[in-house]
Structures are given as C-alpha cells and as structure tokens.
Amino acid sequence: MAGQFQLILAVLTVFETRAFGEGLHARTAGATRQAELQELLRETLDVALTTGPRGVLRGLQAAGAVGGLAAEYAAAGRLDPPQVVLRKLFERLGTTYIKLGQFIASTPSIFPEEYCEEMQLCLDRAAPVPWATVEAILRQDLGRPLREVFSSIDERPLASASIAQVHAAVLAGSGKEVVIKVVKPGTADIIAADLNAVYLATRFLEFAQPELSGFSLGPIVAQLRASMAAETDLLQEATHLTHFADFLDRRGLRGVATCPYLYRQFSSKRVMVLERLRGVPLTDLAAVSRAVTSSVPAETVLINALNVWGASVLGAETFHADLHAGNLLALPDGRAGFLDFGIAGRVSEATWRGLEALLGSTAVGDYATMARALGAMGAAGEGVDYDAFARDLGSFFSQLESLQAGLVVATAGGGGGGLAAGLDIDSAAVNRLALELARIGEAHGVRFPPDFGLLLKQSLYFDRYVRALAPDLQVLNDDRVQWRSSNGQAGAFAAAAAAAVAGGTR
C-alpha cells in the first residue's frame, strides 16, 4: 500500500512540474503554488486511505464500462455527439454517475446547455438485487426472524433504482400494509470510490487552471459527495420525514395532508419500514376523481397540497425537494400524501429575502423589480443590465403563461359521455423550464443559488398540477390559497410559490 502512495506522489509531482513550469520560479507565486500543491497532495493521500482497495475494484469496473461502450460504437461504425456518449457512459457506470448526470441536468448555471438537456434523459433504474440478498440484509438489521415482524413480504420489488429497492409487506399482528426500502449492498462503497475520484479530478483541474476556481467546482462536488452519501443512509431520510411529520402535527394539518408513518423500531441505516399510502398522482383529473372516495374535489386536494408544502418551506426544518408526480398523491380520503423524502432542502436567508421581494413584483408583472430581486438573491456580476434582464424575464413568464396545458381530453368510460382530462407531467419538461430561466439569468451575469433551483422546480411541478386539475384556478385571487399565516412567513412564501406556479399573471 505504501508503494502505491509513493507512486501517486511521484506522478503528481511530475504533473505539477510539467504543467506549471516557469510559473513556479516566481518567488511569491511559486511559494503559494507549492503550498497549494502540498495541501492537494495531503488531501489526495487522505482520500486514497479512505477509499482503499475498493477504489481499485471500482476502477476495473469503470474500465469495463468504457470498453463495452467503445465496442458498441465500433460495431455500429458511428459516434453520437459527446453529450450523448457521456450520458450513455454514466448509465453504464451506474449509481454515482446517474446521480451526477441528474445533478448536471439541474445545474445549468455551470454546465453547457446541451449537456444539461441530454442529462435529463439519464434514467435512474437498475435491475433488482436477488430476494435472497434482500432477505439477508433484513435478517441482519432486524436481528430477528422475518416472520416475527412481517406476516408476508412480496419478493418482487415494487420499484428498483440505483441506490435502493422497495418491497410491499404486511406487518405481523396488526396486519397493516407497509413498504420496505432496502439499500442495495455495496452502494455506499461504490459512491465513495466514484465521488472521491471525481472530487480529486476537479481539485486538480482547478489547480491546473486557477481561473476555473470561480465556478466552485471543488466545493460543488464536495457537497454532492456529502448529499449522495446521505442518500445511502436511510436514517437521514427518516430524519427528513420526521421533520415533515412533526410540522404537520404542530400545525394541525393532518386533516388535509399526511406522510407515511415511520416504523422506527424496524428501521436502520440500510432498511426503512413505512406505512403504505395508496393513492394516485395529481396528474389525471379523472383518476383523482375516481380515487378520492370522499366529497373533497380534486382542486381542493391540490390547493391543500400547495398550501401545506409552501408553509413547510419555512415551518419545517427541511422541506420536500422532489415533488414529481410519483411523490405527491391524492389519497382516497381526500388528503394529499407526500412520499419519499430522500431529497430535502433548506432555504438560506438570502434566497428567502429574494423570494419575498419577488412576491409583489410577480403578482403585478413588475419585471424590473423581479430582475433586481433575482440579482440580489444570486451571485450577480458587475455591470448587470437590469432593464434587459427585466425584458427577458417578461418574455419568459409570458411564454410560461401561454404554454398549452397539454390536456388529453377523451370520452370517459362507462357510457356517461363525460370528459376526462389528464396531463403527462415529466421531469424533463420541468427541467427545461428551469434551465431556460437559469440561462436567462446567466446571460445577464446572474447565477442563482442551488436552493432557489430546488424551489423553482417544485413550483413548476405545482404549475403542471394546476393545469391538470384546476386550469381555471386564479391562485393569486383565490381565498383558499393562503397568503398569510400567524407569523406572516409561511404565507409569504406560499404567495411567492403560487405566483411562480401561476407564471406571474394569474
């Protein structure tokens, strides 16, 4: 092992000597660069020690993925554009790189537009691990025979993604339906090895090209490394879920919204047992109308979901930051059901101040004020032309408002002659809208903070739900959409979110 570290040091020293040559001869600059290099080498050794032999194994797997893709292209006799090649390679490399691709797709202020758009196609799906493997994990983490906890478990997974898979089950004794989420074995090691390599690559790239440090690639990858590591720890997700559950109970909101009950006594870092909520996504008016057996209209379910989520942004310690159609359901009793808290966010004070400033400007179409609010919220360079920025924002929101709802109208079944309306809502469409707004900001020297991007995406999801379930809803003028709370904060965000949802003119 020591010999490997000496080899690393030798290679890196040669790299430094060749890459910077004469720049190191200047006394002051040279001393600074030497100090930076020493720090980088120490960091490299720390990462190497942490990664250990698993890094070598993962390197061999990566080489196999690259070789396999190269062989396919050689056989086809053609090569796709670079962004397509990279996306296909990411999918072959699995877990970490799929998440990395999704990160690229959601960070248009850093990566080229064609890569952001291509990475929206990066699919997080993976073959399930055998039931025997899942069973062994459950036995080990539960510390008891499975029959003592579950009366039945469906060995076929309900879903399988790169990090975890989910099985349906019934609890012994109570007979309650639950789902079991299990982290796939080896996932944490793969993520650690992959992201350590990516992190070091960005650090050396920034060292070789100091001008790239302005993009903060190193800190961004470090943050991504920490967040992805957290996704393999289901206790972290359990914490986010508990934050939201406590918020619902504290505000007395269980009558209009809920989240799965967490069976903490059966949960661990690798296993999470949750109440199973049965419902339908808020994307199909007819399906929601059929599924909700109470007298609650579909529009009310949507408004309740909007109000609850908006209030949770400040009212809960963390807010749900992945409200795609599979994670927000209409339940039979008319409540909104929030699922899967693997991705959660916090709003910084700067972003919050910017959102408050956006409230009034969005409601009345004051794009000049909106431009300055966005500039104050993000990292704005010198000499921003706010008048031009305002004009482009006005154009963007006009396009958002004029978008066709995409409703699919068909004769309802059963011979009643009624109409059923549904909406196909995909993450790619939401990402494209967020990408366009980020592009406008960057074109004018304004780079939005990551937490604003999270909020924007959720607001765009709600915009699609409004178009599907309540296209005539006037969210800025409807008393059911709560603008004020007892402390003013949560209501203020609800207004900002609703304004963004409405495209600024409803």
Side-chain angles (χ1 to χ4, degrees):
M1 186 70 71
Q4 294 176 359
F5 294 151
Q6 289 172 358
L7 178 59
I8 291 174
L9 282 171
V11 171
L12 294 179
T13 302
V14 170
F15 167 79
E16 165 64 11
T17 302
R18 292 180 177 176
F20 301 102
E22 296 180 358
L24 292 177
H25 294 300
R27 181 173 300 175
T28 302
T32 301
R33 298 294 286 168
Q34 287 285 8
E36 291 175 354
L37 177 60
Q38 290 175 4
E39 176 61 28
L40 188 53
L41 293 179
R42 281 194 295 269
E43 194 170 10
T44 300
L45 289 177
D46 288 342
V47 169
L49 285 170
T50 302
T51 305
R54 61 190 175 187
V56 177
L57 177 60
R58 183 56 177 158
L60 293 174
Q61 294 172 340
V66 173
L69 185 60
E72 282 191 9
Y73 278 121
R78 63 175 182 81
L79 192 64
D80 288 320
Q83 65 270 22
V84 177
V85 175
L86 190 62
R87 191 259 302 168
K88 290 182 176 181
L89 180 59
F90 277 11
E91 289 180 338
R92 281 175 173 264
L93 290 170
T95 308
T96 312
Y97 291 90
I98 289 173
K99 296 292 184 182
L100 183 58
Q102 293 171 343
F103 173 75
I104 291 173
S106 63
T107 319
S109 60
I110 296 176
F111 301 99
E113 181 176 351
E114 62 271 20
Y115 284 85
C116 293
E117 292 184 349
E118 183 64 30
M119 290 304 170
Q120 291 167 14
L121 304 176
C122 218
L123 302 176
D124 187 6
R125 61 188 181 192
V129 298
W131 165 247
T133 302
V134 174
E135 185 179 24
I137 293 174
L138 292 176
R139 290 182 183 277
Q140 183 176 358
D141 283 33
L142 291 172
R144 68 186 82 176
L146 297 189
R147 65 177 179 275
E148 293 183 8
V149 180
F150 308 104
S151 60
S152 66
I153 302 177
D154 190 344
E155 297 182 6
R156 296 169 301 177
L158 289 173
S160 176
S162 56
I163 290 179
Q165 63 189 57
V166 178
H167 292 260
V170 177
L171 289 179
S174 68
K176 292 183 177 179
E177 288 188 316
V178 295
V179 293
I180 309 169
K181 187 173 184 178
V182 181
V183 174
K184 295 180 176 180
T187 300
D189 287 346
I190 290 173
I191 289 176
D194 287 350
L195 284 181
N196 283 344
V198 173
Y199 174 70
L200 286 178
T202 58
R203 291 282 286 114
F204 276 100
L205 184 61
E206 288 181 331
F207 185 64
Q209 301 291 334
E211 63 273 16
L212 293 178
S213 61
F215 290 96
S216 301
L217 294 178
I220 288 172
V221 174
Q223 181 181 6
L224 181 63
R225 183 170 56 165
S227 64
M228 285 189 60
E231 283 195 61
T232 66
D233 182 356
L234 295 183
L235 293 178
Q236 295 269 5
E237 181 177 342
T239 298
H240 300 321
L241 173 60
T242 301
H243 289 163
F244 189 74
D246 290 345
F247 159 76
L248 292 177
D249 294 334
R250 189 171 63 252
R251 295 289 184 90
L253 295 173
R254 288 285 187 176
V256 295
T258 192
C259 58
Y261 177 79
L262 169 67
Y263 291 88
R264 193 173 292 276
Q265 69 272 32
F266 303 138
S267 300
S268 64
K269 188 173 182 177
R270 299 187 297 175
V271 175
M272 186 162 60
V273 179
L274 301 165
E275 170 191 10
R276 185 175 186 181
L277 298 183
R278 292 184 178 271
V280 297
L282 298 180
T283 55
D284 188 317
L285 179 59
V288 172
S289 299
R290 289 193 302 268
V292 177
T293 56
S294 67
S295 58
V296 180
E299 182 178 278
T300 301
V301 178
L302 171 62
I303 291 172
N304 288 338
L306 171 61
N307 287 334
V308 168
W309 178 79
S312 74
V313 172
L314 284 185
E317 289 191 48
T318 55
F319 66 89
H320 198 306
D322 192 22
L323 286 173
H324 63 71
N327 288 342
L328 183 58
L329 305 180
L331 306 182
D333 60 7
R335 294 185 296 171
F338 290 78
L339 308 179
D340 193 350
F341 288 77
I343 300 177
R346 287 185 175 90
V347 178
S348 68
E349 290 186 11
T351 299
W352 175 246
R353 287 194 298 269
L355 284 172
E356 285 186 319
L358 277 175
L359 170 59
S361 62
T362 307
V364 298
D366 181 1
Y367 298 111
T369 300
M370 181 188 297
R372 294 195 173 275
L374 289 171
M377 180 194 307
E382 296 182 2
V384 174
D385 185 343
Y386 284 103
D387 291 336
F389 189 18
R391 287 194 296 271
D392 285 348
L393 286 172
S395 176
F396 169 78
F397 278 97
S398 296
Q399 292 173 15
L400 183 61
E401 172 62 20
S402 63
L403 284 176
Q404 295 297 321
L407 293 174
V408 179
V409 181
T411 303
L419 294 178
L423 180 64
D424 181 16
I425 302 176
D426 61 23
S427 297
V430 173
N431 278 334
R432 280 193 293 271
L433 289 171
L435 177 66
E436 176 62 16
L437 183 57
R439 186 197 62 76
I440 293 171
E442 185 175 7
H444 293 282
V446 177
R447 186 173 298 156
F448 303 131
D451 50 357
F452 176 72
L454 285 176
L455 291 174
L456 176 63
K457 285 188 65 174
Q458 311 323 304
S459 296
L460 290 172
Y461 279 132
F462 273 115
D463 179 53
R464 294 307 184 266
Y465 300 146
V466 168
R467 294 176 188 275
L469 301 185
D472 296 325
L473 177 65
Q474 302 291 319
V475 293
L476 291 177
N477 300 311
D478 195 308
D479 291 339
R480 294 171 299 173
V481 180
Q482 299 169 3
W483 308 114
R484 300 273 190 269
S485 66
S486 58
N487 59 12
Q489 289 183 324
F493 175 74
V501 164
T505 58
R506 288 178 190 257

